[in-house]
Each structure stands twice: as C-alpha cells, then as structure tokens.
Amino acid sequence: MTPPTTQNFSSQSSLKIGIFDSGVGGLTVLREVYRQLPNESILYFGDTARLPYGTRSQAEILQFCLEILNWMTEQGVKMAIVACNTSSALAIEKVRSEFNLPILGTILPGARAAVGIGKRIGVIATPATAASNAFRRAILEIDSSCHVWQVGCPEFVPLIEQNRISDPYTAEVAKEYLSPLLEQEIDTLVYGCTHYPHLAPVLKTILPPSVKVVDPAVHVVAAAAQELDLLGLRNTRPALPTRFAVSGCPQQFATVSVQWLGCTPVVEKVYLPAMSHPGTQFGRKP
Ligand code: DGL
C-alpha cells in the first residue's frame, strides 16, 4: 500500500472516522474517542444482525469486515477503527491492504499496554479471538518473558447485548471464566473483547484488587490520535453528532446503548451490499 501523504489527506481532516463492531461493544471505543478526540466526527456501525462474531469462522469475519469497510469507504471516512477484537485478530491484516485508508485494530495497542503493566497476563476474549492466539503472539513478540493465559467467554456478548449485565447469572458465568486465570495468579487482565468493559462493575467484584485491568479501547484511540497527527488528519473544528447505523434492529441498539451514551441515539438501519468475491472486485485501491 502506498502510504498516504500529509498533502493528499490535509483537506480530509473534517471527514468522519468510521468505527465498527458487531454491536454495542464498540461503544467502549467510541467513549474513548469522545474523551481523547472530542473534535472528531464519527460514523458508528454495529453489525447487530450478525452478532455474535466471536463464534464465527475466519472466512465469515473476513467477509463481514470487507463489506463494512467497503460501505464505510463509500460514506467517505478518513480512517477506520476496528472496534472489535475478533475482527482485529482474524481479519485486519488481510483487509488492510484492500483499502486506501488507515485501519487501526485493538490487538497490538492492547498487547503493548499489557506488557507495560504486568508479567502474568490473562486475556478474556471471544472464543474466536482466544483460539486465534493473536494476543498471546503479540504479547510474546514484545516481551517473551511474559506468561499469557487466554480464556474464551462465549456467553458474555449475548448477555451484554440482551442487557443482562446485572443479572446474577452473569456474575456466576464471570466467576467461572475468571477462575482459571485467578488460579494462575495473573497480575494483569486484558479485556480482549470490546464488549467486556461494559461488564467492569461485575468483574471488579470478582478480581483481587492487585490485578490491573487493561482496556485496549483506551490504547487504540491513543494510537488513532497519533496516526491522525502523523497524517495531518486531525479535525480542529467542532465534531458533528455521531451517526449510528446498524444491520439489525435500530430500536434494540438504541435501548441497550442509552446507558453508556447517556442519551437515546438516533439509529438508522443499513443494508450492506453483499459481495461474492472478497478482496478482488471491490478493492478501494486504484
Ligand atoms: N466486541 C467484539 C470483539 O471485541 C465482538 C464480539 C462478538 O460479537 O462476539 O470481539
């Protein structure tokens, strides 16, 4: 990919940043964008018709990412943040070369942050992310003296999307998922899925106070800020209201999100154009 120059991007600084996830998980990244990049306008997409992603195959995730990024490119975004660890782990390397825009994922920023904090690192993630070993690989590449344990947590995303965070069943499930990590006496826990920071109130009641928590959302947004500066793409004018779009039921998304957004979002439904041969006919690169 030819690196974009400051010149050809400078007129694009007022364009939106695209952020996507399977559902409300990406709101943990959006929240960080509001905090760290308050002038940026955002296009948020939740692929709610096809969640959860965490039990899908790599081929499916790849296809979904290509469709979403293709649509976002058509909407004229200047950068995309893959606010989904499953997509970051399984697809980002493959899709990046298809598009002429910066595409940031959560794995590397999360791994870097974890290595800066601890040596015995636990990762809770979707089954697909855990099985991909993406976090273990990234952490050990940075510091091979670390120990990494990854646990796939298939029940978390459906519970969050069904708004069942304070259901006692969620705490029971969380205890079960964390128990092998606590047995290993981890000193650091990585939220390896963007949905999981929503569970922080539950997880904090189970984790010993000595365990430090890493939220890759914080670090991917810091990386995005650096990249915007590097490319001369940072917006200095006031942000436009966030545009929310989903592939499933807009009302359901609005109802679940309100607790994190502090207001009921206006959500539109979009139909992503289906594509038969990923990576060939629709590449955005000339
Ligand atoms: N929040 C996404 C992730 O970080 C997707 C979770 C899912 O849909 O299973 O992996």
Side-chain angles (χ1 to χ4, degrees):
M1 171 176 179
T2 319
T5 62
T6 304
Q7 255 171 352
N8 62 24
F9 270 154
S10 59
S11 57
Q12 301 176 10
S13 54
S14 61
L15 298 177
K16 290 185 164 74
I17 296 177
I19 297 181
F20 75 87
D21 177 44
S22 61
V24 296
L27 297 181
T28 61
V29 175
L30 181 64
R31 183 166 65 190
E32 275 306 310
V33 170
Y34 289 161
R35 201 174 66 79
Q36 297 185 43
L37 294 168
N39 289 94
E40 298 301 331
S41 304
I42 306 299
L43 166 61
Y44 185 96
F45 178 74
D47 197 2
T48 53
R50 304 191 283 198
L51 70 81
Y53 273 15
T55 45
R56 299 261 188 187
S57 70
Q58 181 171 28
E60 286 175 304
I61 299 296
L62 195 54
Q63 175 77 20
F64 299 166
C65 289
L66 288 166
E67 287 174 7
I68 295 164
L69 286 165
N70 192 48
W71 174 75
M72 284 192 159
T73 309
E74 282 169 10
Q75 306 304 304
V77 300
K78 63 179 176 181
M79 168 184 274
I81 303 180
V82 180
C84 169
N85 289 271
T86 309
S87 305
S88 301
L90 274 67
I92 203 166
E93 297 304 335
K94 290 200 164 67
V95 296
R96 212 174 243 144
S97 57
E98 297 288 332
F99 298 90
N100 255 335
L101 83 164
I103 301 174
L104 282 84
T106 47
I107 305 289
L108 202 57
R112 280 202 193 109
V115 166
I117 290 176
K119 283 274 174 215
R120 301 180 66 78
I121 301 169
V123 180
I124 46 173
T126 65
T129 301
S132 77
N133 263 322
F135 271 109
R136 171 176 289 133
R137 261 203 315 275
I139 290 168
L140 296 181
E141 245 168 57
I142 304 166
D143 182 349
S144 58
S145 70
C146 285
H147 297 276
V148 184
W149 295 272
Q150 304 166 111
V151 175
C153 311
E155 292 210 60
F156 275 165
V157 167
L159 286 167
I160 295 163
E161 292 285 342
Q162 289 159 20
N163 221 353
R164 291 178 59 194
I165 291 169
S166 31
D167 185 329
Y169 177 75
T170 304
E172 263 175 55
V173 170
K175 268 185 211 143
E176 224 169 275
Y177 289 148
L178 289 178
S179 117
L181 300 177
L182 297 181
E183 269 169 34
Q184 297 297 338
E185 300 187 338
I186 56 163
D187 54 27
T188 307
L189 178 75
V190 178
Y191 291 146
C193 169
T194 51
H195 278 76
Y196 299 173
H198 293 321
L199 290 173
V202 179
L203 299 175
K204 277 186 185 138
T205 63
I206 304 165
L207 290 170
S210 59
V211 174
K212 306 270 190 310
V213 169
V214 172
D215 180 0
V218 176
H219 307 284
V220 70
V221 175
Q226 273 185 0
E227 188 83 1
L228 289 174
D229 287 340
L230 202 72
L231 298 169
L233 275 180
R234 202 187 264 250
N235 193 28
T236 47
R237 282 176 254 157
L240 300 171
T242 300
R243 178 182 168 201
F244 290 95
V246 294
S247 55
C249 171
Q251 187 51 48
Q252 165 73 11
F253 182 87
T255 307
V256 182
S257 328
V258 63
Q259 61 196 301
W260 297 299
L261 293 171
C263 59
T264 307
V266 176
V267 186
E268 66 192 272
K269 182 169 172 115
V270 296
Y271 297 89
L272 297 180
M275 288 174 305
S276 48
H277 300 294
T280 51
Q281 84 282 23
F282 60 88
R284 307 304 302 166
K285 292 173 77 177

